[in-house]
Every structure is written in structure tokens, then in C-alpha cells.
Amino acid sequence: MARRELLARIILGLIVIGVPLAVLGYQYGLRPATSSTRIVDVDLRVPEDGGFAPDAITVLAGEPVTLRFSALDVTHGVAIGPGLDVDLGPVDPGQVKAITLTFDHPGTYTYYCTTWCSDDHWRMRGTIQVIDPANPAFVPTTAPDPVIAALIAEGVDIDAAHGSTDAHDADQPLVFARPLSAARGAALLPDTTIPAEVSDPAWRRTHTPAQALDLLADANPGAAQVDVLDVIAHLWTAGTDPGSLADAQALYDQNCAACHGQYGNGDGPAADTTAEQPVAFADPAYLFGMRGDVLYAKIRRGGMGTGMPNFGTLLTPDETWALVQYLWTLPVADLDTD
């Protein structure tokens, strides 16, 4: 009886200890050794405990590499950008998610956490440096962003406090007597005189809705302001492709909602941890004083002194503009989807 019990305990021990060891040995020893593709294991912990490990990877252009991300504490999310369209989604504790990539050209990419995991979540980033095997010392330079360069040339202070008070008439702050309706604005459009500059999408990117209000009020002296505001809501959100809007919303949820709130009310779970209270994009009084190019610049470069990180290393310029377009929709109750 004692011998049988001892044998059973030995078998149980082999199962409890041996199987996990065999799995780990295959995962981290045999598999990398026998794989034809380079494998890089990346551990995920909250930034306070180290974040990504390693947080910097160097690969050769043309070299296939498999990145395996393992969450060791809480649920994280992993995406890689800019321009790679790689989103591995949530990675739960104990889970491993992998992707094999081949980078064709030298450059720098960023892998980053997309799930709010701690107060320092935004610090959870790592870099992939892709080098030319024929010229490993060559590091491509990044050209200045033309939008940010134009703002600087114009003398626009990207970090200045913006809002409805620096446009329109500061003595008569905008009053929004009812929720903005882009659909109602579209219906009013045939009976509204639209100044040529307001019709120009390029002008709208470099001017605020409040500035458009002044022009529209002059061109339509008999129109009620609430109606003109709806026309502006339509003009600033018209032509938004539903698919692009959904992609932009996903980017917002991953990168902005933790501070600015899921619906843009400035009340995300990390809102109380930032140097300044996150702005509420859903507040039309704020957004009507903003220029699209300034929003673009703030996203790509970050907000100095506000605690907002830069996202220019994560997103392409087109993704950034799509995100700006999504912001315009946040204070609008209904869009014109026709």
C-alpha cells in the first residue's frame, strides 16, 4: 500500500512539475533553437515594474523576426506602429501572443501598450530599430512634419491655452442652446450662404469653427445662431468615411480614452494623474476654439507641461488626421451619414 502511494505521488509530481517544465523548455529553449526565424520574447509588466523587457530590439532589414509578447502581471495590449497596422489586442496574464514581421527598410518602429494598465501606462513603449545589414551605422533621419513646421512659421504657439476665448468674440462667449446636429446642419445647407473660404477643406483645417461662425453670421444675417452652429457641425464632420471613423475611434479608445474619457468628457480613469486636467473634446465651447492643425500637432508632438505624451512615433500622419476628424464628431449629437 505504501509503495503504491509513493508511486502515485511520484507520478503526480511528474505531472505537476514535469509538464510545465517541458512546456517552458519547448517554448523558450527547443523552439527558438529549431526555428528558422529569429524569435524575440518580450515580457510585459506595468511600467512601474519595468514595462516591456526588452524595451529595445534591433533587427536587420529583410530579416524575418517573430515577436512573442507575454503578460506577467495584468492585462496589457500590444500594437506596433507607425504604419504597420499591427494590433495584437489584449494580452491576459499568462497569455502569449506572437507575430512574425519582416521589415523591408531601415527605420524605427514602436511597440506600445494599448490597454490602460497603470497610472504610468503611457510610458509603456519599446522601440524596434531596423538597420541596413550592408550599412549598419546608417540611421534614417526623420523629416520635419510640414504641418507642425507651418504652425511654427505662422507663429502659432501649439502649447498655448486654446479654446473659444481666443477666437470669435471673447466678450460674447459661444452659447450652445441645444446639442449640435450635423444632420440638421446638412438639411439647412441649401438655404445657407457659405463663404468660399469656409467651403474650402484646407481653410477649415487651419481655422477654428468659431472663426467660421463669424463669417457665416455676416453672410447670413437673418439666420439663428443655433442653426449656423449646426451648419458648422455638418461642415466639420462631412465626408467622414464610416470605416475610417471606426478605425479612428479604435485609435482614440487605445490611446486617448484613458485620460480624455471614452466619450471625450475629460474623465478617463487616468484623468486625475496628469499634470493638467485633460480637455473635454465633447465640450463644443472648447472644440469650437480649436484649429484642426493644432489638434494634429498636439497629438503628434504631445502637450508640453500637460502630461500628454507624443503619438507621432506611433501613428502615421494620415492616422493622426483621422483621429482629428474623430474628435470633431465628439460634441455632435448626430452625424450626417448620407
Side-chain angles (χ1 to χ4, degrees):
M1 189 68 179
R3 187 176 179 181
R4 288 183 179 177
E5 182 176 337
L6 177 60
L7 182 60
R9 290 186 177 185
I10 292 174
I11 293 174
L12 180 62
L14 289 174
I15 294 174
V16 172
I17 299 175
V19 171
L21 284 177
V23 171
L24 290 173
Y26 171 75
Q27 190 81 345
Y28 293 100
L30 183 61
R31 185 177 177 185
T34 58
S35 174
S36 59
T37 301
R38 179 186 169 196
I39 296 176
V40 178
D41 289 301
V42 182
D43 293 337
L44 285 64
R45 297 182 178 86
V46 295
E48 292 85 345
D49 292 334
F52 287 109
D55 61 1
I57 301 169
T58 300
V59 302
L60 300 176
E63 172 197 21
V65 59
T66 297
L67 305 176
R68 299 191 305 189
F69 296 91
S70 307
L72 302 183
D73 47 13
V74 300
T75 296
H76 297 274
V78 176
I80 308 174
L84 298 180
D85 197 26
V86 173
D87 184 355
L88 299 181
V91 185
D92 295 324
Q95 189 178 17
V96 179
K97 286 194 174 181
I99 186 167
T100 298
L101 298 170
T102 301
F103 299 91
D104 295 328
H105 307 288
T108 303
Y109 298 88
T110 303
Y111 47 99
Y112 56 99
C113 182
T114 58
T115 299
W116 189 75
C117 56
S118 75
D119 289 349
D120 286 337
H121 155 73
W122 64 272
R123 297 181 185 276
M124 194 163 171
R125 297 180 178 185
T127 60
I128 303 171
Q129 187 68 51
V130 183
I131 62 175
D132 182 354
N135 187 13
F138 170 70
V139 177
T141 57
T142 302
D145 189 301
V147 176
I148 297 176
L151 286 168
I152 294 172
E154 187 183 338
V156 175
D157 183 357
I158 299 171
D159 298 309
H162 297 276
S164 60
T165 56
D166 62 353
H168 192 57
D169 185 347
D171 296 329
Q172 296 181 352
L174 290 178
V175 175
F176 295 84
R178 66 187 184 199
L180 293 170
S181 168
R184 192 162 48 226
L188 292 167
L189 205 59
D191 299 322
T192 305
T193 300
I194 309 297
E197 56 266 56
V198 180
S199 298
D200 182 2
W203 185 91
R204 294 200 296 269
R205 278 190 171 183
T206 56
H207 293 78
T208 69
Q211 290 172 311
L213 177 62
D214 288 339
L215 295 175
L216 283 162
D218 290 341
N220 301 271
Q225 181 169 291
V226 288
D227 291 337
V228 178
L229 293 173
D230 285 339
V231 170
I232 293 172
H234 164 73
L235 291 172
W236 254 257
T237 59
T240 304
D241 173 67
S244 298
L245 195 62
D247 291 342
Q249 181 177 0
L251 291 175
Y252 178 89
D253 290 344
Q254 290 178 350
N255 300 295
C256 313
C259 294
H260 294 282
Q262 181 178 1
Y263 302 106
N265 292 312
D267 57 355
D272 294 336
T273 68
T274 57
E276 290 185 3
Q277 182 69 26
V279 299
F281 298 119
D283 177 7
Y286 167 76
L287 212 54
F288 263 57
M290 293 300 298
R291 293 169 46 154
D293 52 358
V294 172
L295 291 170
Y296 170 97
K298 282 180 173 287
I299 293 170
R300 295 196 65 76
R301 201 208 58 179
M304 298 297 179
T306 66
M308 177 174 167
N310 81 76
F311 291 93
T313 57
L314 314 185
L315 309 176
T316 66
D318 286 345
E319 289 172 332
T320 309
W321 277 121
L323 195 50
V324 171
Q325 191 63 23
Y326 177 71
L327 298 183
W328 292 123
T329 70
L330 288 174
V332 179
D334 61 348
L335 299 175
D336 172 33
T337 56
D338 293 333

